[in-house]
Amino acid sequence: MAAFAIGGALGVWLDDDTTTANPSSCKAALTENLRTATEAGPGGPTLPAPPECVGVDQVTLERITGEVIADYWKSPEADKAVEDAMRRAMESAAASP
């Protein structure tokens, strides 16, 4: 879910030679999109492509997306999300007859 939230529209973003793209700004925007999507959960809204990523070439965009996801999985937020999901699954299983 999170990977789609930040990288699902990769193929839609255009490589525009007239745009001065900044990979650092793009990475920051993708990181924020991931945080927003994670907080919203599966029922959250679809996030638009960050304007900071317009003009970033496809290879760089894919690399940045991978970095953002890897950084997230190393974070305390990811640990909490996994713990919360496991707790909800256990509570749901316990409530089922």
Side-chain angles (χ1 to χ4, degrees):
M1 173 11 220
F4 181 77
I6 67 165
L10 287 178
V12 176
W13 297 337
L14 301 176
D15 192 359
D16 180 358
D17 291 335
T18 63
T19 302
T20 304
N22 181 331
S24 295
S25 296
C26 177
K27 184 174 182 177
L30 289 175
T31 299
E32 186 57 35
N33 267 12
L34 178 59
R35 281 194 182 107
T36 301
T38 302
E39 289 172 7
T46 301
L47 300 173
E52 296 87 348
C53 295
V54 173
V56 175
D57 67 272
Q58 189 70 26
V59 171
T60 302
L61 191 57
E62 289 174 3
R63 177 184 54 78
I64 291 170
T65 300
E67 290 172 3
V68 169
I69 293 168
D71 290 347
Y72 172 76
W73 281 114
K74 295 175 193 172
S75 73
E77 291 102 355
D79 290 340
K80 183 176 180 331
V82 170
E83 289 172 10
D84 290 347
M86 292 297 293
R87 180 183 41 76
R88 285 191 303 272
M90 295 296 281
E91 288 170 356
S92 177
S96 298

